[in-house]
Amino acid sequence: QLVESGGGSVEIGGSLTLSCATSGITFRSYSMGWFRQKPGLGREGVGAIGRDGTDTYPDSVKGRFTVSKDTASKTVVLQMNSLKPEDTAMYRCGVYDAYAGKCSFREDYYDYWGPGTQVTVS
């Protein structure tokens, strides 16, 4: 089970920290990713971290978003800084154990998803 938290409303230029608490999985065995979806559009990967520790970001958030994982609490975190109105979306976390532990935004790799948390920037 995955459950996101930390979403909300923030001013332009502000920061938010999203957390994804996991349970029922062997945390160390999984790679993780954060995606967002805006109304009427497809899902966009915004940060992924592989089991091997590598991470990747799209150009739209590179330098502003950072994904990390806390093995002790079995949580994956998305730190979002310098937020823009175009960052407004529903954010979801997902985990997968495919692709040899490397980071990826391929949605067909992902095994489990959280329900999401809304982020609004204005």
Side-chain angles (χ1 to χ4, degrees):
Q1 182 180 7
L2 283 65
V3 180
E4 303 92 342
S5 61
S9 297
V10 63
E11 293 184 347
I12 296 170
S15 298
L16 276 178
T17 303
L18 304 184
S19 295
C20 176
T22 70
S23 62
I25 64 170
T26 304
F27 188 82
R28 291 179 182 273
S29 298
Y30 283 82
S31 302
M32 291 107 182
W34 284 93
F35 290 73
R36 67 186 179 190
Q37 189 165 17
K38 304 173 185 180
L41 299 177
R43 205 149 41 188
E44 172 193 17
V46 294
I49 184 164
R51 192 178 65 223
D52 61 357
T54 58
D55 56 5
T56 188
Y57 307 89
D59 289 342
S60 58
V61 308
K62 196 172 292 183
R64 300 189 298 120
F65 289 14
T66 303
V67 62
S68 61
K69 50 185 179 181
D70 184 334
T71 302
S73 64
K74 299 183 180 181
T75 300
V76 57
V77 174
L78 181 68
Q79 177 64 45
M80 306 187 295
N81 300 323
S82 302
L83 285 162
K84 306 175 181 180
E86 52 264 42
D87 295 320
T88 295
M90 177 68 73
Y91 285 72
R92 299 178 72 187
C93 66
V95 299
Y96 63 97
D97 66 358
Y99 198 45
K102 300 177 184 178
C103 54
S104 175
F105 289 131
R106 278 191 57 168
E107 293 183 48
D108 59 337
Y109 285 164
Y110 283 73
D111 299 306
Y112 306 106
W113 295 92
T117 186
Q118 178 68 35
V119 171
T120 303
V121 185
S122 61

